[in-house]
Amino acid sequence: MMKTTRTTIGVRIVVLAFLLIFGNLISQTHNGAVGINTTTPNPNSVLDVVSGNNNKGILIPRLNESQRDAMVINKPTDDGLTIYNTTEDCFNYWSLADDEWKSVCGQLGKSVFTIDCADSKAMGTYVKGKELTNSNYLRISVNVTKLGNYTISGTTANGYNFYGTGVFLNTGIQKIQIPGQGTPENIQTDTIEISANGGDVTCTPPVSVTVLSPAGTYTMSCGNAKVNGVYKVGTELTASNTITLPVNVSTMGSYTISTNTVDGISFSGSGTFTATGNQNVTLSGTGRPTSTSVKTITITSDSQGGVSTTCSVDVIVVIPKKTVLHIGLETAYGYSAFTGPSRNLMDSPSNFGTTATSVVKYEGFNHISLGNSPSSTALQNALNNKPDIVIIGYSYSPNTTEAGYIANYLNKKGVVIALTDDTGSAQNLFRSIFSDPTISASNGAGAGSVYALTNTNDPVLNGPFGDVRGKNWGEDASTTVSITGLSSEFVPFSYAQPINSSTARTGITGLRNSNLSFIWFGDGGFLSNGNANGNQANSNTIEPFVAPSSGGYFPVQKSAYGYGGNGYSAGGMQVQNSILFANMIAWAIKQAEFSGINTQ
């Protein structure tokens, strides 16, 4: 025991001696400067540290962000206090001037965020031997809780990877793109290993990519393509927003079909053809529509073999609600579109709605009525409120002053549909609207008259509810008004001569102004139908409007109409009043949305 004790004491003495000698060698003070591993410290430095073998560094205190923030700062004496922040992987120092910790990596430092794996996926198509392009990227959904820099990568073992850096300037949920690079080497499904700010991210299920075989040969049939789903401005496309595209495959292989981005939306699809012949491909949509304009989307395929690789389809976006001002007699016959089957036609979501099967993609109407006899002041005030559309029916008769108000509304890009059969009010309207005092109106044929529609390719005659070019419309119980003296600025829809009358008549009984948003037919009972359910009325000479409730108030022709004459038997004609009216409304909605009085 005594021998062991002496040996231990001796060792301690030797170690102490070496420390004293070593300390003298590595730490020397020269003019106030301390040097480590140097006998000549820099005179401008308080401490000069040298790595003797150039293989070591210096460590300063390492604290995470919580530990750093738990420190009690003595502001007058701690200015410049420095640590290494392990949370953001960067040096921090206390700034007295700014009264906060600063990061030498930049003021923002490293961001803090989480990745929503369920809303993150690889975009674009991946084909063996085909180098990735700008369309190949990871769309990552993140929830940022601290502003700052980010680095995100996605790796595979198949010849391609993803990498992106940037700065989050806002907190909250947002989507970012991480570009891809490289060339897929094998046909397989790859799991993307994601790393965010140096830490691994585990996604269940994982984000994956299917690498396809080289492309086959196929032709697209865009003329038969079907656009599915409902599209609204500012609303993110979902799984229901697709394009069903018929193709004819002549050589099997992979396919990559994509579109350009128009007003914020695009479509794409990929896969492998395992059989030749006719089949359908589904293109999935992404993005948010930024406007209600019709979007002509160009579709591009990677088909081999010299076939056409581009074509186009139109995507219709839902138009927001419009306000309609109704003027006319509100009776069971529905002379004003504020009541009766014509109102039901307008409000039917299968006709004008937001469903995938709605004929016109539209959010509906706000209906306002002035009744049949508004004062001039009431009319002026109502028009000054800028309704999107005005519909005039029997038996409203504007005087010269009121006709001037309506003309002024039209000149401000208002939309007017006028269905009138009073010669004085019709003449007032036309003289004001066309600025021509020589235009005149006169009474024509009576109840049950049938008028041929022109073959003009016009959106009212050939619209979403049917093509009525060369067909007919029917006069209700009164007398048709015809207009003469027009020289220009109009599209004629029908003339004054009924097909079932041999009495010669001249003039125009239906038209659209080619410069202003104005439609007119010379019959106040154009919309007449006393059946609340919209079924065909049992008369050959009155109530020409038909829109059965059993069909969702979809407009159809009246199959038996007209008095007998000029070779036609009584009730032997068909009239298209309801189809014409539905096309008028579809036209009016578009006019109001894209060039109307409230268009910004």
Side-chain angles (χ1 to χ4, degrees):
M1 292 295 293
M2 293 298 291
K3 183 177 181 181
T4 303
T5 301
R6 286 196 300 271
T7 303
T8 302
I9 293 173
V11 170
R12 290 175 177 172
I13 293 172
V14 171
V15 169
L16 179 59
F18 273 104
L19 286 174
L20 291 172
I21 295 170
F22 183 69
N24 188 52
L25 289 174
I26 66 172
S27 179
Q28 306 233 356
T29 300
H30 294 269
N31 299 321
V34 176
I36 298 179
N37 281 339
T38 177
T39 58
T40 56
N42 189 313
N44 289 328
S45 172
V46 174
L47 176 64
D48 186 353
V49 182
V50 175
S51 175
N53 295 319
N54 295 321
N55 60 354
K56 293 182 180 181
I58 184 171
L59 286 174
I60 70 170
R62 289 161 286 179
L63 284 73
N64 62 35
E65 198 157 291
S66 297
Q67 293 169 329
R68 182 202 69 182
D69 293 342
M71 297 174 65
V72 178
I73 296 297
N74 186 335
K75 296 180 181 181
T77 61
D78 289 351
D79 191 21
L81 180 66
T82 302
I83 66 159
Y84 183 78
N85 185 336
T86 59
T87 302
E88 68 170 23
D89 291 339
C90 196
F91 290 99
N92 291 177
Y93 68 93
W94 174 259
S95 169
L96 177 62
D98 291 332
D99 194 27
E100 65 179 6
W101 286 98
K102 296 290 189 181
S103 171
V104 299
C105 298
Q107 181 128 1
L108 291 176
K110 184 188 289 186
S111 63
V112 177
F113 61 94
T114 56
I115 291 179
D116 181 359
C117 294
D119 195 29
S120 300
K121 62 179 180 178
M123 308 299 292
T125 304
Y126 302 77
V127 178
K128 176 184 177 181
K130 183 177 179 180
E131 186 174 6
L132 272 57
T133 67
N134 291 338
S135 65
N136 300 105
Y137 59 88
L138 293 180
R139 190 191 70 181
I140 302 294
S141 179
V142 298
N143 187 3
V144 180
T145 56
K146 179 179 179 294
L147 308 183
N149 303 293
Y150 70 84
T151 299
I152 298 176
S153 64
T155 59
T156 76
N158 196 15
Y160 64 99
N161 298 290
F162 304 86
Y163 181 82
T165 63
V167 179
F168 290 124
L169 299 177
N170 299 287
T171 58
I173 296 173
Q174 47 199 288
K175 290 181 173 65
I176 57 174
Q177 294 183 7
I178 307 302
Q181 57 184 343
T183 302
E185 298 172 350
N186 300 302
I187 302 170
Q188 61 189 38
T189 297
D190 297 317
T191 295
I192 309 299
E193 302 294 340
I194 298 176
S195 174
N197 279 356
D200 293 337
V201 178
T202 302
C203 289
T204 306
V207 176
S208 62
V209 168
T210 299
V211 178
L212 306 174
S213 61
T217 302
Y218 57 98
T219 56
M220 301 182 292
S221 179
C222 283
N224 296 315
K226 180 182 178 183
V227 179
N228 307 302
V230 175
Y231 300 79
K232 289 186 178 183
V233 171
T235 299
E236 187 82 22
L237 270 56
T238 67
S240 66
N241 298 109
T242 62
I243 296 175
T244 302
L245 178 66
V247 297
N248 190 328
V249 181
S250 56
T251 303
M252 292 184 291
S254 70
Y255 66 85
T256 299
I257 303 175
S258 60
T259 75
N260 57 333
T261 298
V262 179
D263 285 348
I265 64 172
S266 62
F267 298 81
S268 63
S270 61
T272 302
F273 295 122
T274 58
T276 58
N278 294 317
Q279 48 200 285
N280 289 331
V281 168
T282 298
L283 308 181
S284 299
T286 186
R288 290 185 175 92
T290 58
S291 75
T292 55
S293 62
V294 176
K295 300 170 197 340
T296 300
I297 303 286
T298 300
I299 303 176
T300 303
S301 79
D302 65 346
S303 176
Q304 306 300 302
V307 300
S308 176
T309 57
T310 61
C311 58
S312 63
V313 297
D314 288 340
V315 177
I316 308 298
V317 178
V318 170
I319 295 176
K321 274 190 173 185
K322 303 299 175 194
T323 296
V324 180
L325 177 66
H326 299 270
I327 311 175
L329 191 61
E330 298 166 11
T331 71
Y333 289 102
Y335 296 127
S336 164
F338 191 69
T339 58
S342 59
R343 166 70 178 268
N344 293 332
L345 180 153
M346 294 176 67
D347 289 342
S348 170
S350 60
N351 294 332
F352 301 96
T354 60
T355 69
T357 57
S358 299
V359 177
V360 175
K361 303 298 187 295
Y362 175 61
E363 289 189 323
F365 299 94
N366 294 316
H367 295 279
I368 300 173
S369 177
L370 281 180
N372 190 49
S373 303
S375 67
S376 296
T377 300
L379 175 67
Q380 184 180 35
N381 290 338
L383 295 178
N384 286 341
N385 287 331
K386 300 198 295 186
D388 297 290
I389 302 167
V390 174
I391 302 177
I392 300 172
Y394 178 83
S395 60
Y396 174 59
S397 302
N399 58 34
T400 303
T401 298
E402 293 162 354
Y405 293 155
I406 295 171
N408 184 55
Y409 167 78
L410 281 165
N411 285 318
K412 292 179 179 178
K413 297 188 176 182
V415 180
V416 174
I417 298 172
L419 308 170
T420 65
D421 54 22
D422 175 76
T423 55
S425 60
Q427 187 167 282
N428 289 336
L429 270 178
F430 275 84
R431 288 182 175 182
S432 293
I433 292 169
F434 286 86
S435 300
D436 186 348
T438 67
I439 296 173
S440 62
S442 59
N443 286 318
S449 299
V450 176
Y451 298 91
L453 295 162
T454 64
N455 279 301
T456 306
N457 187 18
D458 184 90
V460 173
L461 299 180
N462 184 16
F465 292 91
D467 183 354
V468 298
R469 291 174 296 177
K471 297 181 181 180
N472 310 309
W473 71 270
E475 162 70 38
D476 186 38
S478 57
T479 304
T480 312
V481 168
S482 61
I483 297 293
T484 57
L486 291 172
S487 59
S488 62
E489 299 182 1
F490 70 97
V491 177
F493 289 157
S494 63
Y495 294 94
Q497 182 64 52
I499 66 172
N500 53 341
S501 173
S502 58
T503 302
R505 301 182 187 279
T506 59
I508 294 173
T509 55
L511 59 79
R512 178 174 65 82
N513 189 301
S514 54
N515 292 329
L516 302 175
S517 297
F518 175 68
I519 291 174
W520 173 82
F521 277 89
D523 178 25
F526 195 93
L527 307 178
S528 177
N529 185 348
N531 293 328
N533 59 11
N535 289 344
Q536 180 167 297
N538 186 24
S539 172
N540 297 334
T541 58
I542 63 172
E543 302 177 64
F545 191 94
V546 184
S549 59
S550 58
Y553 294 101
F554 185 82
V556 296
Q557 68 178 7
K558 186 165 185 176
S559 60
Y561 200 72
Y563 57 75
N566 200 31
Y568 291 92
S569 61
M573 291 148 280
Q574 297 78 44
V575 293
Q576 320 289 322
N577 292 42
S578 61
I579 299 172
L580 267 169
F581 178 70
N583 283 347
M584 291 182 213
I585 296 301
W587 167 86
I589 290 169
K590 288 186 177 180
Q591 291 295 111
E593 174 65 17
F594 300 115
S595 59
I597 194 168
N598 294 305
T599 301
Q600 300 300 317

